[in-house]
Every structure is written in C-alpha cells, then in structure tokens.
Amino acid sequence: MLALQDPMRRALIIVDVQNDFCEGGSLAIYGGGEIARRVSAYLLDKTKNYGVIVATRDWHIDPGDHFAEEPDFVDCWPPHCVADSSGADFHPNVDKFADFSEAVDIVVSKGQYAAAYSGFEGTTPEGDSLQSFLQSAGVEAVDIVGLATDYCDRATAMDALKLGYEVRLLTDMCAGVAPESTALALSEMREAGVIVTQSSQPAQD
Ligand SMILES: [Zn+2]
C-alpha cells in the first residue's frame, strides 16, 4: 500500500468551527453553521479514513491588536472566541450526527496572546505543537476543513505544505469571510500545491 493511501498516515484537521464564526456569532461567516453540520455528517462515517482527527480553535485570552473597536476585517477584528466564553465553544451542529468530542483525538488551541491564523501556531492541552503531535502519530498527509477558507484554513494549509505534508482542502466543508479573498486564497493554495477538492473525492497518491 502506498504511504498516502494508508489512512493511518492521513490526519483530518477541522479548523475553528466555533460559535463566533457561525451565524449569530461576533464574527459570523455566512454558512458557518451549515459547515458545522456537514463536518458532523462526515465524522459519522469517515473517521476510519484518518489516523488522527484534530480540531483547532481560536482561543483568545489577550490577543493584543488582533482585536479592534474599529476592525478592518483583514488584520484586526471585533472581539471573538474569547477563551472560556460561549463564543469560543464549538458550534452545536458539530454534534448533530456524530459525537464530536469522541471523534476528535485532540483539540489544538491558538491565539492565546497574539493573532494566530494557522493551526500550526497552536498547542495541545499538553503544550505540544500540532507539528510534533502529527509527527509522533506518523502523519504524512492532511485534509483540511472548516472556517475560514481565506484566513485560518489557508494559513493552516500553507504551513502544512511548508512542513512537507500532502495537503487537501475539502471545499464542501469550508466557508470564507468574503468572496474575493476566498477566491484569491483558493488560487494561492492551488498554486502552492494544495489539492483543492471535495470530500467525495478519495485521497490519491
Ligand atoms: Zn482570532
């Protein structure tokens, strides 16, 4: 079996499917709640396709100028995903079909004291980096889903590429902040070598 067709060598990274990034949240992304629902449906029967399943979360304690009273929605944002607030909780739709906390092997928190768009800037509850967690699990390929295509999905995908992973972005389980920046992010990712595809497409070596 080729390495990247071995499910044990592939990780699913679910990016920031949190209340504040979904409808009703302080930084709502259109379609966020639907993405959470699709992720749950996917977890119901696709967990066997992955060696490990990671959920990242934006988890702000004091992120400095990442928050602004007059945000530009590019470099600074309205307060969101404040640690231990309901806005930082995973959206309830992630439990609609599968038990999210059971399906997810590890939660990686990022952005505690500064802006962090990439999951690779985050840490596990034990304080390990996402990279060291994936390496110790023998991961060689990652599938990325979640919010938002043009920010945290993109940053996570680009870091994963730089670290040498085969990277797929499953766009039917992603949503972006704005159409223009989402289109740009998708073309940047494609150009860099990310496989931009759909969850129905099997991983290929
Ligand atoms: Zn943030």
Side-chain angles (χ1 to χ4, degrees):
M1 181 184 280
L2 295 166
L4 297 184
Q5 289 175 331
D6 176 357
M8 296 316 290
R9 302 231 172 255
R10 184 172 295 272
L12 178 65
I13 303 178
I14 304 163
V15 177
D16 297 7
V17 184
Q18 294 168 272
N19 284 329
D20 272 343
F21 295 137
C22 298
E23 291 81 355
S26 67
L27 189 43
I29 293 157
Y30 179 75
E34 170 62 14
I35 297 304
R37 192 190 67 80
R38 290 182 192 178
V39 166
S40 187
Y42 189 69
L43 290 176
L44 189 63
D45 63 355
K46 293 288 193 268
T47 52
K48 63 182 183 306
N49 291 7
Y50 297 98
V52 291
I53 298 179
V54 176
T56 71
R57 61 181 182 181
D58 220 12
W59 195 250
H60 294 311
I61 296 169
D62 182 10
D65 59 10
H66 184 52
F67 287 174
E69 279 182 28
E70 291 182 33
D72 64 9
F73 294 91
V74 177
D75 294 312
C76 56
W77 307 88
H80 59 274
C81 299
V82 171
D84 294 313
S85 71
S86 60
D89 286 343
F90 293 114
H91 190 277
N93 281 2
V94 297
D95 284 316
K96 198 162 182 78
F97 304 106
D99 182 328
F100 189 71
S101 61
E102 200 170 287
V104 168
D105 295 296
I106 196 122
V107 173
V108 167
S109 301
K110 62 185 174 64
Q112 287 89 334
Y113 297 101
Y117 295 98
S118 166
F120 287 90
E121 295 176 79
T123 50
T124 70
E126 291 73 35
D128 295 326
S129 68
L130 175 56
Q131 167 66 352
S132 71
F133 175 80
L134 294 177
Q135 287 297 290
S136 57
V139 169
E140 295 176 8
V142 298
D143 284 0
I144 294 171
V145 303
L147 306 171
T149 314
D150 35 355
Y151 290 92
C152 295
D153 293 352
R154 174 180 166 278
T156 304
M158 295 301 240
D159 274 356
L161 269 187
K162 284 183 205 137
L163 290 164
Y165 296 96
E166 183 208 278
V167 184
R168 301 198 314 160
L169 182 81
L170 308 181
T171 56
D172 51 315
M173 288 190 286
C174 300
V177 172
E180 301 77 20
S181 51
T182 298
L184 183 63
L186 290 173
S187 67
E188 281 175 356
M189 284 188 270
R190 272 195 198 97
E191 206 163 294
V194 173
I195 301 162
V196 176
T197 185
Q198 305 270 313
S199 62
S200 55
Q201 292 299 311
Q204 292 183 346
D205 207 341

